[in-house]
Amino acid sequence: DGGITQSPKYLFRKEGQNVTLSCEQNLNHDAMYWYRQDPGQGLRLIYYSQIVNDFQKGDIAEGYSVSREKKESFPLTVTSAQKNPTAFYLCASSLGVGEGYGYTFGSGTRLTVV
Amino acid sequence: AQSVTQLDSHVSVSEGTPVLLRCNYSSSYSPSLFWYVQHPNKGLQLLLKYTSAATLVKGINGFEAEFKKSETSFHLTKPSAHMSDAAEYFCVVSGLSGNTPLVFGKGTRLSVIA
């Protein structure tokens, strides 16, 4: 079955450490996205990528980094510069960026800083 | 700029009664509009989408939404609520241009009382 796989489902990090969240899709989608979800704030866009080796900052990119070396993969690194990283992180993909293209979402990774 | 406003952060209905989740949008052109549903600790699933075809859009699980340009609204309805409908619902509008991501509302939490 085609879909998006996020791993791990739960992740604990000590303050001051970087951590990388994995996102893999086998839908042959060109575009991929990372969102952060906090209670009552909806989804906020961190980074998105329209094509391999290209990505753009979203609304809350500070303290995060991404890479897009393969079409199938769009890992997100939460760096020690991110002041409040505890949140639910969602990865999504679509055929393209723009109107009319609905997104397919992964099941999410819950990151907790301890 | 594109935006959506979900008018209720929380809606509570009794099982078997109608559901109405309200969404108003702001767009500089005729947009694409979507509704997504998220069950606890899960990713988002597409319920339905409007892309300038019929103004009444039918989705999965008995949900439907009507695009009303004069009212800039895209409310989600269901004739009879089921316990399994309890979830978070997001109204989404297409981005400002052909190469910008979708814009998500802050969500409406639907509770269904037995």
Side-chain angles (χ1 to χ4, degrees):
Chain A
D1 283 340
I4 297 186
T5 301
Q6 289 188 244
S7 61
K9 192 171 179 66
Y10 297 96
L11 190 56
F12 295 87
R13 189 196 91 173
K14 291 183 179 179
E15 281 194 39
Q17 288 182 338
N18 293 354
V19 64
T20 297
L21 282 59
S22 170
C23 178
E24 304 274 335
Q25 54 101 356
N26 60 5
L27 299 164
N28 201 30
H29 284 172
D30 284 320
M32 297 186 74
Y33 314 82
W34 274 105
Y35 287 89
R36 171 181 171 140
Q37 187 175 24
D38 297 282
Q41 297 200 45
L43 274 67
R44 292 184 290 168
L45 182 64
I46 304 172
Y47 270 97
Y48 68 101
S49 167
Q50 298 189 64
I51 199 167
V52 174
N53 292 324
D54 180 67
F55 48 83
Q56 284 79 41
K57 292 182 180 179
D59 301 316
I60 55 165
E62 185 175 350
Y64 299 97
S65 67
V66 294
S67 63
R68 186 88 187 276
E69 297 176 1
K70 297 187 301 181
K71 187 175 186 176
E72 302 79 17
S73 179
F74 192 42
L76 173 74
T77 297
V78 185
T79 75
S80 56
Q82 170 50 234
K83 297 281 190 285
N84 184 21
T86 295
F88 190 53
Y89 291 87
L90 286 161
C91 180
S93 71
S94 64
L95 280 170
V97 175
E99 65 175 293
Y101 292 115
Y103 293 177
T104 300
F105 281 84
S107 298
T109 293
R110 186 165 297 282
L111 173 64
T112 304
V113 174
V114 296
Chain B
Q2 312 293 90
S3 68
V4 287
T5 302
Q6 293 185 243
L7 299 168
D8 306 291
S9 60
H10 183 214
V11 170
S12 184
V13 301
S14 297
E15 190 176 20
T17 65
V19 175
L20 170 64
L21 304 183
R22 299 182 295 163
C23 173
N24 286 350
Y25 70 91
S26 173
S27 176
S28 54
Y29 63 94
S30 185
S32 295
L33 291 155
F34 309 78
W35 276 98
Y36 282 84
V37 60
Q38 183 184 32
H39 289 93
N41 294 310
K42 301 288 186 187
L44 279 71
Q45 180 186 16
L46 180 66
L47 271 180
L48 51 82
K49 70 176 182 179
Y50 165 78
T51 54
S52 73
T55 56
L56 182 62
V57 183
K58 294 189 185 299
I60 62 172
N61 300 333
F63 284 94
E64 61 181 38
E66 186 171 9
F67 174 72
K68 292 187 176 180
K69 186 175 181 179
S70 60
E71 299 176 10
T72 62
S73 69
F74 190 58
H75 302 333
L76 182 70
T77 60
K78 183 174 181 177
S80 176
H82 191 271
M83 296 297 290
S84 60
D85 294 328
E88 189 95 14
Y89 291 80
F90 293 93
C91 183
V92 184
V93 67
S94 51
L96 185 60
S97 73
N99 287 318
T100 55
L102 302 179
V103 176
F104 286 75
K106 292 190 183 298
T108 298
R109 182 165 61 90
L110 175 65
S111 298
V112 182
I113 304 165

